[in-house]
Amino acid sequence: MPYASGASDGTEVIAGFLLTDQSVDAARGNVSAPGVWHGRILTSKLPSTVAAATAKQSGQFLLEA
């Protein structure tokens, strides 16, 4: 599920980070992918913007610029 910082339906909470790009195709169903569920995340290295100061998350990440 994509991250949506302005939402209020659960998509505004960062649950993890994928380590590799994954194609999304509804006909394929669930996709297995390697991910990070806790640790230090350098937000400047992410492919999309995450505001570390205001991001809602599971509490398992240290978000750094």
Side-chain angles (χ1 to χ4, degrees):
M1 187 173 291
Y3 170 68
S5 62
S8 61
D9 60 357
T11 58
E12 77 281 9
V13 179
I14 300 172
F17 293 90
L18 293 178
L19 294 177
T20 59
D21 288 340
Q22 299 298 317
S23 297
V24 176
D25 181 0
R28 287 180 45 198
N30 293 334
V31 177
S32 296
V36 175
W37 310 119
H38 62 86
R40 179 173 283 149
I41 304 297
L42 299 175
T43 57
S44 62
K45 304 296 183 185
L46 295 175
S48 59
T49 303
V50 173
T54 60
K56 292 183 184 177
Q57 48 135 333
S58 64
Q60 298 294 312
F61 303 106
L62 175 59
L63 301 175
E64 297 180 348

